Amino acid sequence: MILTVTPNPAIDLTYRVAALEPGETHRVAPPTARAGGKGLNVARVIGQTGGASFVLTTAGGASGLRLADDLEASGLPSELIPVAAPTRSSVAIVDEGSGVATIFNETGAGLSPAEWTALREAVERLAVPATAIVGSGSLPPGAPESIYADLVEVARRRGIPSIVDASGTALLAAAEAGADVLKPNRRELADTVGSDDPVAGARVLLSAGAGLVLVSLGADGMLAVGASRTWSARLPRPLAGNATGAGDAAVAAIATALGAGTTDPAVLVRRATAWSAAAVVAPLAGELDPAYPEYEARLVTS
């Protein structure tokens, strides 16, 4: 069972328009609404691919009740930490002509010290049956910078791998704690370490203590950077679609492989790139094109 921890979940609203025209009025059908947040998307992908996952997240206000209802309806095993602040929303507007998605993410509201303590205690308890722990997504304002580092420490004590998908000081803290795999995208990595070179940026995180860094490069695929080697994978041609959940699919691939005992970076980067690509052409974040097993055979690797 892979434990996914999402401190800042959201209700994901996805609108579709024939063509997005800034400054104009658009008439749209009601949006697709579902419980979202990066860790929830990771768990959905793990479930679709036949794995077992458990969602640990927070929920507050009327929107938190909506999130809880959707998780129950989806059949995802979960535990929700009650919080006072309402669960935030995330809005995706998909231009069906170009396939490009424009995203508006609310920052969310801060949690109290007691609520953070409850989340940490739940991680300790739920890590007991887990085969890997994933910490992913943004943090609400005022969050402890060590929250993902604490997760890494729990995983280390349990003797299981940890994967963190974050940015900024939370990403650096996870590296210093010795996370097995970090999975930022190119922009998150540059913003965190101050280098536009993904290899150089990844090596900063490796020097801090991370075991392996996988960097999402968008249409250019993915790069895995280890202590002495790099590996890359990409499709021969970029895919058109909604890339909102592509990084989460990559994390699901990494967690599934590590949880099964696979640690070869060449395998990890191929699987992560293939699942990420399959997510781009799926209609919603947290889903893969059913033909996802075929994507890996089409990759260009080095």
Side-chain angles (χ1 to χ4, degrees):
M1 180 273 285
I2 295 167
L3 174 63
T4 71
V5 183
T6 310
N8 199 23
I11 296 296
D12 284 348
L13 305 172
T14 303
Y15 291 88
R16 296 183 176 277
V17 297
L20 180 59
E21 300 179 31
E24 298 297 326
T25 298
H26 300 74
R27 294 190 181 278
V28 297
T32 301
R34 71 191 310 188
K38 295 180 76 63
L40 278 69
N41 293 336
V42 171
R44 291 183 194 275
V45 170
I46 291 171
Q48 182 184 340
T49 55
S53 63
F54 192 95
V55 170
L56 174 61
T57 189
T58 62
S63 52
L65 294 175
R66 189 177 186 182
L67 182 140
D69 288 344
D70 185 71
L71 276 176
E72 182 176 0
S74 70
L76 281 176
S78 61
E79 179 173 330
L80 278 63
I81 304 300
V83 297
T87 298
R88 67 190 178 110
S89 294
S90 174
V91 178
I93 303 175
V94 180
D95 184 321
E96 294 187 321
S98 66
V100 174
T102 301
I103 312 298
F104 297 86
N105 285 326
E106 292 181 3
T107 57
L111 307 187
S112 70
E115 291 164 350
W116 283 118
T117 297
L119 183 65
R120 285 190 173 101
E121 290 175 347
V123 171
E124 291 271 7
R125 172 168 40 83
L126 294 170
V128 174
T131 55
I133 303 181
V134 172
S136 58
S138 65
L139 298 175
E145 294 179 358
S146 66
I147 192 67
Y148 285 141
D150 295 343
L151 178 153
V152 171
E153 178 58 31
V154 170
R156 176 182 293 159
R157 291 201 306 271
R158 297 298 308 168
I160 57 177
S162 57
I163 305 97
V164 174
D165 180 3
S167 61
T169 53
L171 183 67
L172 285 171
E176 291 168 354
D180 291 276
V181 177
L182 299 178
K183 211 287 313 154
N185 62 35
R186 190 202 310 254
R187 187 186 69 245
E188 291 167 341
L189 180 60
D191 290 346
T192 299
V193 304
S195 172
D196 291 329
D197 180 344
V199 174
R203 295 207 184 282
V204 172
L205 299 179
L206 293 172
S207 296
L212 182 71
V213 180
L214 273 77
V215 187
S216 296
L217 303 176
D220 294 326
M222 194 164 297
L223 183 71
V225 183
S228 59
R229 289 188 59 187
T230 62
W231 300 260
S232 66
R234 61 176 176 82
L235 284 175
R237 292 177 299 279
L239 296 173
N242 181 3
T244 307
D248 304 329
V251 171
I254 297 164
T256 300
L258 290 179
T262 300
T263 59
D264 183 349
V267 175
L268 296 179
V269 74
R270 287 199 305 268
R271 187 72 48 80
T273 304
W275 287 23
S276 180
V280 170
V281 297
L284 295 171
E287 297 180 0
L288 300 183
D289 178 351
Y292 72 89
E294 303 169 13
Y295 281 70
E296 196 166 343
R298 297 160 49 191
L299 295 175
V300 177
T301 61
S302 64

